[in-house]
Amino acid sequence: MMRHGWMKRIVTLGSLTIVLAMLWPGTLALGGPPRQGDTSQALQFSALGAVFPLTLGYAIPTMAFSPAGDRIAGSVVPSPSDPQTPAQVFWWDVSQSGPEVAQSHGLGATYATLAFNSDGTRLAAANIDNVFLLDTVTGRITATFENRVGEGVFDMAFTPDGAYLIVATWHQLMVFDTASGQASQVSLRGDIAGTGAMSEDGRWLATYLAGGITVWNITIDEGAPTLDERISVECDACGNYPTAALSPDGNRLAVTGSQGYAALFDLESGAAQELSPAQNDNTFAGSPSFSADGTLLAYAMSRNRASGFTSEAWVFDVTSGRMVGTLAMQGDGLFKGLMFSPSQPLLAALFDFEIQLWSYSLPAGSVVAAGEGAETGAPAEVIAYTATTPLTAKYHPNGRLTCTIEAGEAVLPAGQMAGGSIQVYAGGAGCEGPVWLTRQDAAGLVGISDAILNGLAIVTTPAQFTVFDTESAIPDYAEVCAGATEWGTPPAGGPPYRASFPASLLPDELQATSDTGLDIIVCVEDVYVPVETCYYTSASGYSATYERRRSDKRITLVDYARRTIVARQTFYGGTPELCPNQISGNGFNQGPMPDYETWSAWAIANLTGSGAPVERTTVATGTINARSEPSTSSEVLTQLTGGTPVNLIGRNEAGDWALALTPDMNRVWLYAGLLQVARRTKVSLLPVVDGPAAAVSLP
């Protein structure tokens, strides 16, 4: 449940205000049209209006909801310049405009976490030294328990009957009898990397070790805790300090980490569903939280940009894994985290100097599906749009290979690159498979609203071609490059090729993948060509030479299977200045190498076929039946004639039927043997799907 703020940085400011959101006119719509098969719809969030000024304190490192959702608590840390001022804990009725109680006596240092008991009458506040129990009616401390292990507390919970308080630190699990104060503890396995999560009822505990997550069943027998392992799952992408949350039913675990990684784990099967991939060191995901009914997951996505630190709340439908919207986080101080109310449709956002509170609901009419036969409550269909003018799309958002979407063609939005380009399918003959539009073109020239664009699923940026770290992934890289002396024909089928490229020479946007075989190795060789030798003789008769060398790049494309040269080009570099007037001995000087832009365009054009039209997947010949399911006994939805372009988005397990988008963006099943499949589209690599065509979501 992770009640503490996920970012630990604290800044010093003079005053502190807690706001249960400023009252803004209207509402903010989150998400676009839900995808068919989703259980969620587009959400609307509304700010609640209430302002709570605080005169003491300097940051709010943590917050917690009461189980009934009627109260929210936050702790306030004294300024380091005023060490005599104790920390404070405040709690409020979320429907009123002021704090119920300000408790400030003897609470010591900052708090790692807060927790209410089941009826909300007691609030636990823990720090590295002590755990305090506070009466939420009187505001008084009713008990103080020593934190005997002297470690930070990453989560805690009362048992449902309130008899025990379970406290998890980095290495220990402590259990306090709330009546007597008697404590027991058990060690957690290994070195916990400062993270974990506990269920609201204290039954389940998730802990993170480097590279893996373990979920434990907590049992208490006469005050003594026991941990029994429920499941362990690998999570190499979680990073060093991930944050976690358990779903209300205890069957799912959400994990967010450094570099923007986020995933959902099914605790019955151990299966993982990636929500957002690891991106870069300037991107951080954290503070995951499930909604009261467990159908939504929100987490914070922050980026450290040149213009400053920016943060958003990303909200996902748990069942489908689809994003239902984003919400910009702007408040007083740094954004620290998110928390859903455990019983009401409320989302709280934590900042250094305020808490903002949002209500959320389904907008009226959002369950109406597009197309004929739509019924209230039925899965909603994705809407296809029409290009109003010819558009240039890219096969890679940062690449050079383009295609044209003609005016009047159907355009189906499919996904988005985080903070950037929009992935679409086009119904005409110009673009094969998913292609990318700028957000500006998608909005202005296709007419897709910001709300819909924001609701598209985040799509991992694809590779323009396969990129390997050649030194480790291809041990014979140097030998292949050095030994390729014979010329041969290009690999069958033509570009785009699956190629190896020395990763250190590529910009970040050419991301690495290794899920397909290799066609070509790109050999990059530094060549130094002597252009002048200068001779020197000293008065004593000593002779020396000084050589001026031009620095060239020789790029060779080698057929990996046949070890033959497909293409080769030398790019001339610079030549150093004239020979010096005097030298101290034999030597040389080299000019600058050609920069990446000088030679990479040639290599990439050869690998991707830039400048040449990309072939389209079409109906091979005659007229074929487009069916509702991958079987000749299923319903015929329509017929397609030879030459009709289609986009393939899936296949059945056997691979003999393909799920396709027709030019008007309807989903149909086609027998793969009756299609002329473009090289760029490989049926064997399409996702395996099943069932009626109209019920299958976009991949």
Side-chain angles (χ1 to χ4, degrees), residues 28-32 40-45 296 315 324 360-363:
L28 176 63
L30 291 185
S40 68
Q41 307 295 334
L43 295 178
Q44 286 185 344
F45 277 57
L296 297 176
V315 187
V324 296
Y360 60 91
S361 62
L362 294 177

Side-chain angles (χ1 to χ4, degrees), residues 159-246:
T159 55
D161 60 4
Y164 298 102
L165 177 66
I166 307 170
V167 178
T169 72
W170 307 141
H171 298 87
Q172 301 286 327
L173 185 75
M174 296 183 290
V175 174
F176 295 96
D177 185 310
T178 57
S180 67
Q182 183 176 352
S184 298
Q185 66 192 62
V186 62
S187 296
L188 298 176
R189 186 179 67 191
D191 292 325
I192 305 303
T195 190
M198 195 182 302
S199 60
E200 294 288 343
D201 59 4
R203 181 183 177 188
W204 305 107
L205 175 70
T207 59
Y208 177 76
L209 304 171
I213 299 165
T214 302
V215 178
W216 310 88
N217 179 25
I218 304 173
T219 56
I220 301 174
D221 184 12
E222 296 183 354
T226 301
L227 293 175
D228 296 308
E229 183 176 324
R230 176 182 178 185
I231 190 173
S232 291
V233 293
E234 294 183 357
C235 189
D236 292 334
C238 285
N240 293 327
Y241 299 100
T243 51
L246 285 156

Side-chain angles (χ1 to χ4, degrees), residues 21 23 103 193 288 325 361 374-375 383 447 449 525 550 651 655 673 684 697:
L23 183 60
Q103 172 63 44
S361 62
E375 299 177 358
I383 299 173
S449 69
E525 182 182 1
R550 189 183 70 229
R651 66 177 177 90
S684 62
S697 299

